[in-house]
Amino acid sequence: MGVTAHQHQPSNGHRHDHAACVHGAMDRARDLCEARGVKLTAQRARVLELVWSSHQPRGAYAILEDLSKDGKRVAPLTVYRALDFLLEQGLVHRIESLNAFVGCPQPGTSHTGQFLVCERCGEATELTDTTVRDTITAAAAAQGFTVTRQTVEVTGLCPGCRG
């Protein structure tokens, strides 16, 4: 079974270095955009950085509020355009049930996401389970349906909130 997860609180007792996490995400984004010949403008980069500022999904208006704290007056449309670009490039995922965004730890690789969303603290963990993907695709095909995009969201309690 091909399961990978982007964990934020390692089970080995070590603390998560979030600054390194954000730095790595920004480096991957710059490299990916350069390789694709698309521009990661300063505004798009700042929006991506704000999405990655927490492992909790971030809504567009929370991002807009953070941008205004930077001392810049930014229109909501600017944030939505930046988020659209980041989605198109696979740098973020949209958590539909929350109308919010999380950073993608595997940009540039084709994958379907399953998200575990903690109903108490709001943290979202991305899984990439090929068995789940294949099961959904097969069940849809049995109904004559062709899957073009899959996102599965599961709500529950993370280990930190459960304990």
Side-chain angles (χ1 to χ4, degrees):
M1 173 169 72
V3 180
T4 58
H6 182 67
Q7 299 287 343
H8 304 294
Q9 295 300 328
S11 59
N12 61 8
H14 296 113
R15 293 201 39 93
H16 172 66
D17 183 351
H18 191 66
C21 183
V22 174
H23 183 74
M26 298 307 294
D27 284 347
R28 287 188 301 276
R30 281 188 282 278
D31 291 346
L32 184 72
C33 288
E34 184 177 321
R36 291 180 176 169
V38 296
K39 291 207 183 274
L40 183 64
T41 63
Q43 186 73 44
R44 291 169 175 171
R46 183 63 179 133
V47 169
L48 180 61
E49 185 178 42
L50 289 169
V51 168
W52 273 98
S53 69
S54 168
H55 291 299
Q56 296 176 339
R58 305 286 318 274
Y61 280 92
I63 293 167
L64 183 65
E65 185 177 310
D66 286 345
L67 287 171
S68 70
K69 289 177 188 173
D70 289 349
K72 298 177 183 173
R73 185 169 164 83
V74 178
L77 185 57
T78 302
V79 173
Y80 281 110
R81 284 183 179 153
L83 288 167
D84 285 344
F85 171 85
L86 298 172
L87 279 167
E88 288 171 11
Q89 298 306 316
L91 298 169
V92 299
H93 294 289
R94 185 168 185 256
I95 306 291
E96 302 282 341
S97 62
L98 301 175
N99 194 22
F101 302 84
V102 293
C104 177
Q106 303 170 350
T109 63
S110 178
H111 64 281
T112 58
Q114 300 98 34
F115 295 93
L116 305 178
V117 181
C118 181
E119 60 193 24
R120 190 169 296 155
C121 72
E123 183 173 301
T125 299
E126 180 179 357
L127 300 177
T128 304
D129 187 328
T130 56
T131 303
V132 172
R133 179 200 65 207
D134 295 346
T135 300
I136 291 171
T137 300
Q143 298 296 313
F145 187 85
T146 301
V147 176
T148 57
R149 183 176 68 98
Q150 272 188 53
T151 304
V152 177
E153 300 173 26
V154 179
T155 305
L157 295 174
C158 71
C161 290
R162 194 180 66 233

